[in-house]
Amino acid sequence: MSQSLYELWTSAAGNTPLEWVAVLTGFACVWLAARESLWNFPVAIFSCALYIVVYFQQALYSDSMLQIMFIGLSMYGWYEWLYGGRSKTELPVSHTRRWEWLVCGLFIPAFTFGFGYYLDNYTQDTVPYWDSFTTAGSLAAQFLMMRKRLENWWLWIIVDIIYVPILWHKQLYPTSVLYAVYLGLAAYGYWEWRQALRKAESSSLLPA
């Protein structure tokens, strides 16, 4: 009985110190992104590097691969936020373009079923299609975030809702709780970015 309680406690407290560092830096990078801080990118790169190991150890191969993609997208997003605006100025918050919605709408189901099939048949992934969907949704959300599109937060909310039970099922309890917190941060990020967009739109209507 005491052994069972010990195992439950150690699982709830985190499988490894590595996971806890990844959790804390993951929280920090989303908080910084919600605040439109450029520091979210270097923190995100560090956190993703840790999660490559954490997810791989739990046979979440799609999510492990996702972290590698996130590192590349974060590097590009860092540049975009700094110089993606007019005349190489800082990129402002804006609405998602129609062609971007189209790209996301085609990419998410194609990736989900295509990569999900691979995970289902050639790996030990126990939730292959859900794993693949959260990967596809996260990539789409990150694509919109690096272009500073307001609606990226909508996608993050959907992805976070699905991640919570998947990560709990995989006994990554601190990370599961982190994604529950991400839900609140995503709502906060949407509110913050919407305020920034409204302020920019109001300023543009003022006479010069």
Side-chain angles (χ1 to χ4, degrees):
M1 179 66 177
S2 60
Q3 181 68 18
S4 298
L5 290 174
Y6 174 77
E7 291 174 352
L8 177 62
W9 168 252
T10 53
S11 294
N15 292 320
T16 63
L18 185 69
E19 184 186 353
W20 268 110
V21 177
V23 164
L24 294 174
T25 53
F27 173 85
C29 79
V30 176
W31 169 257
L32 290 167
R35 300 290 297 176
E36 287 189 76
S37 170
L38 281 170
W39 281 101
N40 88 87
F41 292 110
V43 175
I45 290 169
F46 179 70
S47 183
C48 288
L50 298 181
Y51 267 120
I52 290 173
V53 179
V54 172
Y55 285 139
F56 189 84
Q57 290 175 341
Q58 294 297 320
L60 285 169
Y61 302 118
S62 183
D63 286 308
S64 183
M65 183 191 71
L66 173 64
Q67 306 311 306
I68 299 173
M69 296 181 183
F70 272 167
I71 290 173
L73 288 173
S74 293
M75 291 177 178
Y76 179 71
W78 198 347
Y79 175 85
E80 276 290 298
W81 278 33
L82 273 173
Y83 306 111
R86 292 181 180 179
S87 303
K88 298 291 184 178
T89 58
E90 185 176 345
L91 189 67
V93 177
S94 59
H95 287 294
T96 304
R97 306 295 188 258
R98 287 185 179 180
W99 72 266
E100 292 168 335
W101 279 127
L102 179 62
V103 169
C104 292
L106 293 174
F107 170 75
I108 292 174
F111 186 97
T112 297
F113 290 106
F115 198 65
Y117 177 84
Y118 169 78
L119 293 176
D120 191 25
N121 289 276
Y122 300 103
T123 74
Q124 297 176 336
D125 198 322
T126 57
V127 284
Y129 289 98
W130 285 114
D131 191 8
S132 186
F133 174 78
T134 52
T135 299
S138 296
L139 285 171
Q142 186 69 15
F143 168 70
L144 296 182
M145 176 179 277
M146 73 182 190
R147 300 179 67 81
K148 230 171 187 181
R149 304 306 191 203
L150 174 65
E151 293 78 14
N152 85 87
W153 296 109
W154 294 356
L155 294 182
W156 283 124
I157 288 172
I158 294 171
V159 168
D160 293 342
I161 289 172
I162 297 172
Y163 261 127
V164 171
I166 289 177
L167 293 168
W168 193 269
H169 170 72
K170 286 290 185 176
Q171 298 184 339
L172 293 172
Y173 301 121
T175 302
S176 178
V177 173
L178 174 65
Y179 272 83
V181 174
Y182 279 170
L183 279 171
L185 286 178
Y188 172 73
Y190 177 78
W191 183 83
E192 279 283 320
W193 284 32
R194 186 177 64 176
Q195 294 298 107
L197 180 58
R198 286 179 174 176
K199 184 177 180 180
E201 290 173 342
S202 298
S203 298
S204 66
L205 295 176
L206 294 176

